[in-house]
Amino acid sequence: MPRLVPEPYRIKVVEPIRQTTQAERLSLLSAAGFNLFAVRSEDVYIDLLTDSGTGAMSDSQWAGLMVGDEAYAYCRNYFSLKDAISDIFGFRHFLPTHQGRAAEKVLFSAMLKPGDYVPSNTHFDTTHANIEAVGAHPVDLPIRQGLDPTSHFPFKGNMDVDGLLRLIEEVGADRIPLAMLTITNNSGGGQPVSLANVRAVKAVLAPYHIPLFIDACRYAENAYFIRQREAGCSDKTLSQIAAEVFALADGCTMSAKKDGLANMGGFLAMNDDRLFERAGQLLILWEGFLTYGGLAGRDLEAVARGLREALDERYLAHRIGQVSYLAQRLLDAGVPILEPPGGHAVYLDARRFLPHIPQEQLPGQALVVSLYLAGGIRAVEIGSVMFATKNRQTGEWKYPELELVRLAIPRRVYTQTHLDYVADMIIELNARRSDIRGMRFTYEPPFLRHFTARFEFV
Ligand SMILES: *Cc1c(COP(=O)(O)O)cnc(C)c1O
């Protein structure tokens, strides 16, 4: 068991959470069509659906709300955020947005034309969709180890640099207006990207003058992994590491709902003056004036303070420690998970957890439903419900390689005891896994199926 890093905070305000009985949960589930997205938050005991916007703000962030300046233009909180972004990321310009995907939409609309290509280690789903929305092609180039659920490579989030070079040679640099790196690599399981990989990617792009943008959502968690795992980085501060990473980039997109430690917010940052001007026009059209971009002044202040808090040593040691503690308890009990755990979540491997359920009977969904029934815990299926595709001609289904259930850990929300409860419930469930039955769709919407589908047990 890894040595525990105790909570580097004490609790000033509490939010009661309700425990339901198993009978109540069964009736809530059947009313929800066995889809956890349709269950009320109030009926969930431990909510591990996502770590996005679900964190707890600090007393300083709450105090920051009271100094919100709600003037339309150039409110004081704009300058707090400008200072934080300039100190941490070092970019000359930034535009606030209401969340990460809005920054993506503005960036891609300003930089891409139909038929362009945008390579990445792995694009997050909103990034992928926003690139396609302007008629361009997202290209994922993860390294081989990133696709192997048993590899213990320390930087499984890295980009395949040779693949990047091949893509440039194949389609031509003029068809690649920018490249991206997602840190940590969310779709790849929250795995980190090394400083060496950022350098190598930059070195490939530089001769072609292709700008590098970083999807910076979990920049602080990534900096922590670099310090822990990368040669020559153990003596650096987390701020120094973040500064080195971003000095290699030409800009970034950010969802402040992750390492901004806020419940809402985001931004787009860059060095290029002309891009700033173009993107600023689009921001005014879609989000709001240059200095608030869809956020209240008080929100800007919460993000400014949160960005700095996220680089706190003890906070990160505790947070990443919580994730690895939960993973280790499950591993010790023989529960199959993706290894090693990333920065923000533990992923159960539903195919190995429920080997008796074939993929067409949705083992991931069966596991998510069983977890809620057993303990009022809400997780999310990342498997066939989300990704299986039907061939229009043959009517045949293609199932994804991995059938996962993600347990995302909200920031500063749950205690050690909560995590022990989650581990106990999963270990108990694992002991009686052969009782768990498969599921099938009773309603299957045409796209983004997982949000509104309905199911029943086979
Ligand atoms: C959450 C996330 C986004 C999108 O941010 P939203 O605030 O949800 O719009 C983009 N990239 C990554 C890696 C994310 O985790």
Side-chain angles (χ1 to χ4, degrees):
M1 197 64 61
R3 205 169 135 244
L4 276 183
V5 181
E7 281 79 2
Y9 47 78
R10 56 186 174 185
I11 295 164
K12 197 189 298 261
V13 176
V14 295
E15 177 185 5
I17 44 179
R18 193 165 84 91
Q19 268 183 303
T20 45
T21 64
Q22 188 145 10
E24 280 176 298
R25 289 195 290 275
L26 187 57
S27 89
L28 289 164
L29 269 177
S30 58
F34 292 90
N35 186 336
L36 271 294
F37 281 102
V39 170
R40 289 181 186 217
S41 156
E42 286 182 346
D43 297 327
V44 175
Y45 180 51
I46 305 287
D47 202 342
L48 307 182
L49 187 66
T50 175
D51 66 323
S52 177
T54 53
M57 294 207 297
S58 66
D59 53 354
S60 162
Q61 285 177 293
W62 280 102
L65 298 188
M66 286 305 291
V67 296
D69 167 358
E70 305 306 339
Y72 194 93
Y74 292 97
C75 68
R76 74 166 85 91
N77 317 105
Y78 165 77
F79 294 100
S80 308
L81 183 53
K82 189 171 172 50
D83 289 346
I85 291 173
S86 153
D87 289 350
I88 298 167
F89 303 90
F91 296 117
R92 293 179 45 228
H93 304 295
F94 90 101
L95 296 165
T97 60
H98 80 278
Q99 61 184 96
R101 67 197 69 184
E104 295 164 0
K105 181 183 179 194
V106 168
L107 177 68
F108 300 141
S109 303
M111 290 192 78
L112 300 181
K113 51 184 190 321
D116 283 343
Y117 292 82
V118 183
S120 172
N121 46 350
T122 314
H123 288 291
F124 183 63
D125 54 11
T126 59
T127 321
H128 188 101
N130 270 302
I131 292 169
E132 288 191 327
V134 298
H137 309 292
V139 183
D140 291 339
L141 300 168
I143 55 166
R144 182 177 38 81
Q145 295 94 324
L147 300 174
D148 173 359
T150 59
S151 160
H152 278 249
F153 188 71
F155 292 102
K156 288 172 78 171
N158 282 357
M159 185 192 255
D160 171 7
V161 181
D162 294 332
L164 176 63
L165 197 53
R166 275 199 303 277
L167 180 77
I168 297 172
E169 283 165 0
E170 216 171 283
V171 306
D174 53 332
R175 305 285 301 281
I176 307 179
L178 77 156
M180 294 192 79
L181 274 175
T182 311
I183 68 170
T184 56
N185 192 342
N186 187 356
S187 311
Q191 299 293 330
V193 174
S194 69
L195 186 51
N197 190 246
V198 185
R199 276 200 199 102
V201 167
K202 182 67 182 177
V204 167
L205 298 173
Y208 299 100
H209 306 288
I210 299 172
L212 173 62
F213 275 73
I214 292 183
D215 177 339
C217 293
R218 294 181 183 79
Y219 73 95
E221 292 169 12
N222 200 74
Y224 186 81
F225 280 119
I226 288 176
R227 219 220 4 230
Q228 296 295 96
R229 298 179 182 177
E230 191 155 354
C233 292
S234 59
D235 293 337
K236 294 177 183 168
T237 66
L238 297 169
S239 308
Q240 278 168 344
I241 292 171
E244 278 188 54
V245 167
F246 289 102
L248 292 161
D250 299 279
C252 74
T253 56
M254 175 75 190
S255 168
K257 302 170 74 168
K258 323 289 170 50
D259 281 351
L261 291 173
N263 302 118
M264 190 51 71
F267 61 84
L268 168 63
M270 75 285 280
N271 287 327
D272 188 303
D273 298 338
R274 300 228 316 268
L275 173 62
F276 176 58
E277 232 179 271
R278 252 194 339 271
Q281 294 304 313
L282 297 173
L283 188 85
I284 292 170
L285 185 65
W286 291 326
E287 290 282 287
F289 185 61
L290 301 174
T291 62
Y292 76 86
L295 294 171
R298 57 179 171 271
D299 294 334
L300 299 172
E301 190 63 38
V303 173
R305 296 181 183 206
L307 286 171
R308 295 185 194 275
E309 289 177 11
L311 281 173
D312 180 88
E313 201 64 45
R314 291 168 62 231
Y315 153 70
L316 280 170
H318 173 254
R319 165 158 183 71
I320 294 185
Q322 270 200 325
V323 175
S324 64
Y325 171 80
L326 177 59
Q328 196 58 48
R329 272 215 58 196
L330 297 176
L331 279 173
D332 290 348
V335 175
I337 64 166
L338 273 205
E339 293 182 65
H344 67 285
V346 174
Y347 294 72
L348 303 176
D349 183 342
R351 281 174 87 173
R352 281 190 288 148
F353 200 113
L354 301 172
H356 57 290
I357 301 182
Q359 263 187 303
E360 58 270 21
Q361 290 183 11
L362 315 173
Q365 187 62 24
L367 187 50
V368 162
V369 164
S370 305
L371 204 51
Y372 178 74
L373 263 182
I377 298 161
R378 175 155 64 179
V380 66
E381 192 257 19
I382 303 186
S384 292
V385 174
M386 211 176 255
F387 294 124
T389 50
K390 197 190 227 152
N391 183 316
R392 285 217 192 93
Q393 264 103 56
T394 64
E396 233 173 281
W397 281 94
K398 185 167 180 287
Y399 293 97
E401 186 114 343
L402 292 176
E403 197 73 43
L404 302 176
V405 168
R406 185 183 73 180
L407 309 162
I409 311 297
R411 296 168 178 77
R412 306 191 291 207
V413 170
Y414 293 118
T415 63
Q416 175 69 20
T417 324
H418 287 127
L419 294 186
D420 277 323
Y421 171 84
V422 170
D424 290 344
M425 285 297 142
I426 295 172
I427 292 165
E428 264 179 54
L429 202 57
N430 192 42
R432 54 182 175 81
R433 62 214 233 171
S434 54
D435 299 342
I436 298 175
R437 278 177 296 150
M439 306 205 78
R440 63 175 156 240
F441 286 100
T442 56
Y443 165 63
E444 196 195 330
F447 56 89
L448 291 174
R449 191 166 50 200
H450 53 285
F451 289 121
T452 52
R454 299 175 71 85
F455 306 90
E456 65 186 7
F457 280 111
V458 171

